[in-house]
Amino acid sequence: MVRKVLLVALFALTLGVVEADAQLKLGVKGGMNLTDMRLNSKLLDRENRRGFFFGPTLKLAIPLLPLGFDIAALYDQREMELEDGEKTWSVTTKQVNIPINARLTFGSSKSLAVFLFGGPQFGFSINTDQNIVDNYRSWKRNKSLFSINLGAGLLLGNTFQVSANYNIDCSKDGSVTINDVVDQLKEHNSKINAWQLAATIYF
């Protein structure tokens, strides 16, 4: 239900305000993830790997103020490798993320400007259940996710920007279950943070 409301709001904002305010910019955003997975278990080793994200984005600048807002709908894929001492396997997460960031801009948006940004991000998993290895090792992902973005960027000519941010997972993202002894299950909770590098083109 929350996902439908947010998607409808994004669609309505695009159609309703794009002609009404010259400060609103529609763009396409894409970039790279470097996953920073956190586990509540010292028995599992993890190796972070790269992923990617892309999708439409909106930038709203408030006239005469350095304050603005970004909202986007991004397909996001992240990858990790896990090892339990006996076997190594990979985990891939796929989700749709809706970041809503406030941004503070310094400089001229018509030539060159630096900006800081941060805000909440709502995520919805596409692959919630994965039996990653065999009957003894499995991965389960939560359907809905909540995280926070903190970052900075550079805006060139109001049409192109580059940015870097850290995405902080604020709740349990998923769990790894290992059946190492007959009828004895061990579940290890995880949080999947990520460093993100992005480029955006505005039309």
Side-chain angles (χ1 to χ4, degrees):
M1 183 65 183
V2 176
R3 172 172 54 182
K4 292 181 180 179
V5 171
L6 288 171
L7 290 176
V8 169
L10 177 63
F11 183 73
L13 182 62
T14 306
L15 294 182
V17 238
V18 70
E19 296 295 336
D21 192 339
Q23 300 299 316
L24 188 68
K25 286 278 192 177
L26 175 65
V28 177
K29 182 177 184 178
M32 179 183 72
N33 289 317
L34 179 59
T35 306
D36 184 14
M37 188 178 192
R38 305 296 176 90
L39 287 164
N40 69 338
S41 171
K42 296 181 179 180
L43 301 177
L44 287 169
D45 292 328
R46 87 286 186 274
E47 179 181 345
N48 300 316
R49 302 173 65 182
R50 288 185 293 272
F52 63 90
F53 58 92
F54 65 89
T57 184
L58 287 171
K59 177 169 70 75
L60 174 63
I62 299 177
L64 304 179
L65 292 176
L67 183 64
F69 298 91
D70 294 322
I71 182 171
L74 306 173
Y75 172 80
D76 187 301
Q77 182 168 310
R78 305 180 186 185
E79 296 183 0
M80 296 75 63
E81 280 191 354
L82 295 175
E83 182 180 358
D84 64 358
E86 295 182 4
K87 206 161 191 175
T88 300
W89 69 95
S90 61
V91 172
T92 300
T93 68
K94 300 176 183 179
Q95 62 198 54
V96 174
N97 286 331
I98 302 178
I100 304 174
N101 295 317
R103 56 192 287 161
L104 190 62
T105 303
F106 305 91
S108 172
S109 60
K110 295 182 180 180
S111 55
L112 178 66
V114 175
F115 63 93
L116 304 175
F117 66 93
Q121 177 169 287
F122 304 91
F124 306 94
S125 296
I126 297 174
N127 59 334
T128 54
D129 294 287
Q130 293 180 327
N131 192 313
I132 3 181
V133 184
D134 48 39
N135 292 331
Y136 299 98
R137 300 166 180 83
S138 63
W139 164 261
K140 186 175 182 179
R141 192 112 196 271
N142 289 341
K143 293 182 179 180
S144 59
L145 314 162
F146 178 74
S147 58
I148 297 291
N149 290 316
L150 295 173
L154 187 66
L155 180 64
L156 304 172
N158 209 25
T159 57
F160 180 74
Q161 77 175 33
V162 290
S163 62
N165 71 277
Y166 190 57
N167 176 243
I168 307 168
D169 197 349
C170 295
S171 58
K172 186 182 79 169
D173 186 277
S175 59
V176 180
T177 302
I178 299 175
N179 187 357
D180 54 356
V181 180
V182 177
D183 296 329
Q184 182 178 349
L185 293 177
K186 291 185 178 180
E187 184 176 279
H188 308 284
N189 296 330
S190 69
K191 291 186 177 183
I192 302 180
N193 303 335
W195 291 99
Q196 298 182 311
L197 299 176
T200 305
I201 298 176
Y202 293 107
F203 307 108

